[in-house]
Amino acid sequence: LARTTADHFKLLLRNEPPRQLYARLEEMANKVNRFNWDPGCKDSYWLQIRGGVCVVRDPGQSITILRDQANLARKKVQLSAGNQLFACEFYAPKDQHTMLLDRDIFNQLDAALEAGRIRMYLQPKVDLATGETLGAEALTRWLDEDGAVLYTPAQFIPVLERHGTVVKLDGYLFEQACRRLRRWLDEGRRPVPISVNFSRAHLRQPDVLGGYQRVQQQYGIPPELLEIELTETMIGEDIAYFTHLVQAIHAKGFRCALDDFGSGYSSMTMLKDVPVDTVKLDRSFFLMDQEDAVLCRRAWDIIESVIALAKKLGIATVAEGIEDQAQVRRLRACGCDSVQGYVFSKPVPPEEFEQNYL
Ligand code: C2E
Ligand code: MG
Ligand code: MG
């Protein structure tokens, strides 16, 4: 056993099957925390322990490499907030690739922003009653020199979130949205609201909304043309904070949507307590096995009820990720307000959006 730096320790253990090894480490973590159970312990202090395991397959391998690989495995560990005291991950060769991609993405962000290779695409939200475009969501695309998509948001947003730089990206998109709205206003087009996504990394930043407001005022955009999308998973259990955030967004005059509704577990509480203007029903609601009539009916019963409930609460509904017309018809019949999905359009460059949907 060695302590290398700060609160990092290295253990060399006999090679055992992973499950046994995991149990052994977990037991150690429990022992470390045992003082909390001591009757004389007045202030409990729980230590969350993350482990990374690198199984030694080649005894000739250098200790430096083994150590780096164990570290890489440790960085994969996601401890749930609150009471999870221990978790550990095992090194796999593909982690090396992930780390390199991670580093590339992180290192290239500034240059890509500078070179204008990070773009705002727009995807229309279509009003189911009138067929008109009700608004658009701004979604980011990272393009290569030839204009082809280099990284999808699923690839680069998590990396930027880990580094905290996603805040910069979100701010950039917000400004792009304002700039585009300014153009529409100047050209005398009927402007539709643009919504932007708000990453969890913002929660640690003071006065982000103040910054957003300054940009909105600088471009002279009516704030109700801007909407911020929050996801329930970004806040976790802290509904009070979420409510506060939504109120702060409204205080600046922006609208607020609850994104990916139904993908987490606290959805109903959210509806009860959080005064959002819009809920976006997650795509997972609509991924149903068409062959299974019973499950299909249940899924639609839930969708209908959620839409009815939102209506009762005065919250607008957007169904996300809709790909087929039959679902559009059904949603219209249920009273869903709008649809954002490939059935109408993929996210497209703003020029294309203007041409086809404004
Ligand atoms: P989201 O905010 O829920 O955005 C909707 C996602 O669903 C988009 O994926 C969109 O392209 C996709 N989608 C829309 N209609 C359909 C459909 O009919 N079928 C399928 N299969 N997919 C559909 P995208 O653009 O890849 O973005 C994924 C996620 O990345 C977004 O989910 C959002 O959470 C995040 N994201 C994208 N841009 C930004 C950004 O600028 N900032 C932050 N913080 N997050 C972003
Ligand atoms: Mg969104
Ligand atoms: Mg969504």
Side-chain angles (χ1 to χ4, degrees):
L1 164 70
R3 167 171 169 265
T4 42
T5 53
D7 55 356
H8 293 194
F9 296 86
K10 300 286 180 292
L11 305 172
L12 193 57
L13 300 174
R14 185 164 23 87
N15 212 342
E16 285 169 315
R19 213 190 319 202
Q20 254 158 275
L21 207 55
Y22 194 101
R24 202 170 151 199
L25 289 167
E26 188 163 32
E27 197 195 331
M28 288 184 205
N30 287 335
K31 280 188 181 162
V32 166
N33 276 296
R34 197 164 284 166
F35 67 92
N36 288 298
W37 300 108
D38 181 353
C41 169
K42 290 209 183 57
D43 299 305
S44 53
Y45 186 87
W46 299 96
L47 290 157
Q48 287 193 311
I49 295 176
R50 290 161 215 267
V53 176
C54 171
V55 176
V56 183
R57 298 186 200 284
D58 167 14
Q61 183 67 281
S62 107
I63 191 80
T64 320
I65 289 179
L66 294 172
R67 186 196 59 195
D68 289 350
Q69 294 181 341
N71 260 333
L72 218 52
R74 178 178 53 81
K75 288 182 184 155
K76 290 194 289 184
V77 173
Q78 302 270 352
L79 279 176
S80 57
N83 51 13
Q84 191 184 356
L85 291 180
F86 173 77
C88 110
E89 293 279 350
F90 287 72
Y91 172 77
K94 75 167 176 7
D95 296 342
Q96 199 76 31
H97 173 74
T98 312
M99 185 199 63
L100 291 177
L101 182 68
D102 216 276
R103 215 175 44 196
D104 273 356
I105 287 175
F106 177 63
N107 289 338
Q108 292 168 23
L109 177 70
D110 282 330
L113 279 172
E114 197 106 319
R117 283 196 275 110
I118 302 224
R119 299 280 174 85
M120 173 183 76
Y121 275 36
L122 295 173
Q123 187 179 29
K125 298 174 194 171
V126 177
D127 187 327
L128 285 182
T130 64
E132 275 181 39
T133 307
L134 266 188
E137 176 171 14
L139 293 157
T140 181
R141 295 289 179 267
W142 186 320
L143 308 180
D144 65 14
E145 279 98 3
D146 305 323
V149 173
L150 180 62
Y151 301 120
T152 64
Q155 279 177 314
F156 72 91
I157 301 262
V159 178
L160 303 185
E161 272 184 342
R162 276 198 290 284
H163 292 283
T165 36
V166 70
V167 170
K168 197 190 281 182
L169 173 80
D170 284 359
Y172 179 79
L173 251 86
F174 182 81
E175 178 156 8
Q176 294 293 311
C178 288
R179 193 179 284 245
R180 189 55 60 170
L181 281 163
R182 186 69 258 156
R183 251 174 82 164
W184 293 346
L185 290 164
D186 290 345
E187 289 170 358
R189 294 176 190 264
R190 176 185 69 93
V192 296
I194 299 183
S195 63
V196 296
N197 293 284
F198 207 66
S199 152
R200 125 179 26 149
H202 288 289
L203 303 180
R204 295 191 291 270
Q205 307 269 323
D207 199 34
V208 208
L209 288 171
Y212 275 37
Q213 186 178 39
R214 278 188 290 282
V215 174
Q216 164 253 324
Q217 287 172 343
Q218 185 195 330
Y219 284 90
I221 309 299
E224 65 276 11
L225 286 179
L226 292 157
E227 181 174 64
I228 293 180
E229 296 194 0
L230 306 173
T231 59
E232 58 182 31
T233 44
M234 77 188 253
I235 310 275
E237 316 268 282
D238 197 348
I239 304 250
Y241 184 74
F242 204 111
T243 310
H244 163 80
L245 185 60
V246 174
Q247 284 162 347
I249 290 171
H250 282 154
K252 305 283 184 208
F254 303 137
R255 296 206 236 175
C256 184
L258 184 54
D259 200 358
D260 302 339
F261 179 79
S263 62
Y265 293 102
S266 49
S267 308
M268 284 302 160
T269 340
M270 288 281 170
L271 274 197
K272 178 165 78 60
D273 295 330
V274 186
V276 289
D277 306 292
T278 307
V279 289
K280 302 186 78 179
L281 304 188
D282 192 63
R283 179 172 147 73
S284 56
F285 269 119
F286 308 101
L287 296 174
M288 47 186 102
D289 180 2
Q290 305 289 348
E291 307 287 294
D292 191 330
V294 177
L295 277 185
C296 243
R297 210 189 58 228
R298 285 170 66 110
W300 277 105
D301 282 347
I302 293 176
I303 295 165
E304 274 180 42
S305 311
V306 171
I307 292 171
L309 184 62
K311 214 170 216 140
K312 214 165 193 172
L313 295 169
I315 303 174
T317 42
V318 181
E320 242 189 338
I322 304 297
E323 295 185 359
D324 75 63
Q325 280 294 348
Q327 292 194 326
V328 172
R329 283 193 294 275
R330 186 110 193 219
L331 282 161
R332 189 181 290 120
C334 302
C336 181
D337 296 306
S338 60
V339 157
Q340 179 186 337
Y342 293 174
V343 66
F344 294 118
S345 170
K346 292 197 167 185
V348 292
E351 299 73 30
E352 197 176 325
F353 178 86
E354 287 161 5
Q355 228 161 42
N356 298 328
Y357 305 101
L358 272 196

